[in-house]
């Protein structure tokens, strides 16, 4: 994939009939290893006119009765585990697909991308009890906090996250430097609570 200028966007769907979390994790790790530009991580939905309905009984598929008819559980993934995957998907969008943490993401993923990001997602949900309305500055602080808890030294984490944070939007080099300095100057315990 490094020999092409094509932007590679791939989709991965959780909750497919016959799949469990372990098989999904293996597929996710293989896909991350291929290095696509973006992995769109979605949760199975029962769209009108699709043949997925024929598998409902065999795989004990339980869908939300209201549109968009998202999968809630299967014979291999119970409701609680499916909710963890839903949160993983949302946080993946915020951290990986947003492009905001390009230098930081490899630190989060390490050599076991699915397992490490799932631990991060579980921790993030425990800290915020939210999957929406997490301001960028707060998210940057939380990512920093997680990486320090995960064993990275604070100076390395601060430098990498600040580099990503300063690169946001269409800022001039002077604006990027000012934003980076603002991030570095805010005590991390306060940065978690600051809104952008």
């Amino acid at each position: 994939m490094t020999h092409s200028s094509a932007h590679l966007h791939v989709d991965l769907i959780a909750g497919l009939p016959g799949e469990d979390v372990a098989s999904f994790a293996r597929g996710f790790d293989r896909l991350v290893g291929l290095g696509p530009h973006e992995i769109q991580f979605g949760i199975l939905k029962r769209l009108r006119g699709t043949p997925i309905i024929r598998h409902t009984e065999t795989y004990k598929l339980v869908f939300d009765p209201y549109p968009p008819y998202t999968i809630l559980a299967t014979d291999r993934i119970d409701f609680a585990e499916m909710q963890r995957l839903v949160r993983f998907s949302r946080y993946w969008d915020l951290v990986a697909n947003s492009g905001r943490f390009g230098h930081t993401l490899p630190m989060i993923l390490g050599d076991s991308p699915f397992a490490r990001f799932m631990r991060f997602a579980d921790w993030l949900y425990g800290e915020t009890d939210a999957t929406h309305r997490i301001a960028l500055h707060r998210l940057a602080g939380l990512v920093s906090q997680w990486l320090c808890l995960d064993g990275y030294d604070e100076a390395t984490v601060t430098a990498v996250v600040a580099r990503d944070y300063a690169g946001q939007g269409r800022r001039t080099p002077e604006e990027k430097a000012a934003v980076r300095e603002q991030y570095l100057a805010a005590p991390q315990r306060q940065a978690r609570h600051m809104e952008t």
Side-chain angles (χ1 to χ4, degrees), residues 78-132:
D78 65 21
F79 179 78
E81 201 67 16
M82 194 67 74
Q83 292 311 297
R84 287 180 74 209
L85 290 170
V86 168
R87 290 189 295 269
F88 182 115
S89 174
R90 175 62 183 145
Y91 296 142
W92 183 259
D93 280 345
L94 288 175
V95 174
N97 288 343
S98 68
R100 295 175 176 154
F101 296 95
H103 300 96
T104 309
L105 185 63
M107 294 172 69
I108 296 172
L109 299 180
D111 57 359
S112 300
F114 181 84
R116 288 180 54 83
F117 200 87
M118 181 60 87
R119 282 197 311 272
F120 168 68
D122 289 342
W123 177 85
L124 188 57
Y125 185 70
E127 290 292 306
T128 64
D129 194 32
T131 57
H132 293 80

Side-chain angles (χ1 to χ4, degrees), residues 4-163:
S4 171
S5 61
H7 181 88
L8 190 58
H9 171 112
V10 296
D11 291 329
L12 193 60
I13 299 174
L16 291 170
E19 183 171 66
D20 59 15
V21 174
S23 65
F24 182 83
R26 287 190 301 274
F28 182 87
D29 287 351
R30 278 194 306 268
L31 199 53
V32 168
L34 293 174
H37 296 96
E38 183 175 338
I39 298 173
Q40 186 65 45
F41 178 173
I43 306 297
L44 180 66
K45 294 171 180 55
R46 188 189 74 221
L47 303 175
R48 203 171 273 187
T50 59
I52 194 71
I53 196 73
R54 70 176 180 235
H55 299 294
T56 300
E57 190 175 317
T58 305
Y59 293 99
K60 296 181 176 54
L61 305 179
V62 179
F63 292 94
D64 187 334
Y66 301 102
Y69 311 110
T70 305
I71 190 83
L72 299 175
T74 72
D75 63 339
R76 298 176 190 196
I77 303 176
D78 65 21
F79 179 78
E81 201 67 16
M82 194 67 74
Q83 292 311 297
R84 287 180 74 209
L85 290 170
V86 168
R87 290 189 295 269
F88 182 115
S89 174
R90 175 62 183 145
Y91 296 142
W92 183 259
D93 280 345
L94 288 175
V95 174
N97 288 343
S98 68
R100 295 175 176 154
F101 296 95
H103 300 96
T104 309
L105 185 63
M107 294 172 69
I108 296 172
L109 299 180
D111 57 359
S112 300
F114 181 84
R116 288 180 54 83
F117 200 87
M118 181 60 87
R119 282 197 311 272
F120 168 68
D122 289 342
W123 177 85
L124 188 57
Y125 185 70
E127 290 292 306
T128 64
D129 194 32
T131 57
H132 293 80
R133 296 191 205 160
I134 302 173
L136 177 56
H137 198 83
R138 183 174 184 215
L139 183 59
L142 288 162
V143 167
S144 296
Q145 186 180 353
W146 165 255
L147 289 171
C148 289
L149 290 171
D150 196 43
Y152 287 96
D153 71 273
E154 188 173 351
T156 300
V157 168
T158 300
V160 172
V161 174
R163 180 179 176 194

